[in-house]
Amino acid sequence: DPPYGNNYLDLVLHQAFNCDFIKKDSMVICEHSLDLEIKKNNLWKIIDVRDYGQSRLTFLINIQHS
């Protein structure tokens, strides 16, 4: 969620996907700036990326927890 310039996205995603609140195959939709790319990870799989104006939505699926 805006404002985008605070560089917390990587930390927040790792904490969210490492907890037991997000079950396997759950979808997380992350809103971020166009110039930020979420990299592949062993915790999630990127299934879609959509641009809307100056924002980007990245759709992630949890692949770690059961």
Side-chain angles (χ1 to χ4, degrees):
D1 199 17
Y4 296 129
N6 51 21
N7 298 321
Y8 293 127
L9 182 61
D10 192 50
L11 174 65
V12 170
L13 285 176
H14 277 86
Q15 287 181 345
F17 279 95
N18 275 315
C19 73
D20 291 330
F21 296 122
I22 301 176
K23 301 296 182 200
K24 185 174 182 178
D25 297 328
S26 295
M27 182 183 300
V28 173
I29 303 170
C30 181
E31 180 182 1
H32 54 93
S33 66
L34 293 172
D35 57 346
L36 180 70
E37 180 181 343
I38 297 176
K39 296 185 181 359
K40 293 180 183 180
N41 191 291
N42 63 341
L43 301 174
W44 59 76
K45 176 182 176 183
I46 298 171
I47 59 167
D48 196 8
V49 178
R50 301 179 190 180
D51 294 342
Y52 296 98
Q54 296 181 356
S55 296
R56 176 171 287 158
L57 297 179
T58 300
F59 296 78
L60 310 160
I61 294 282
N62 186 352
I63 59 175
Q64 183 184 34
H65 296 293
S66 51

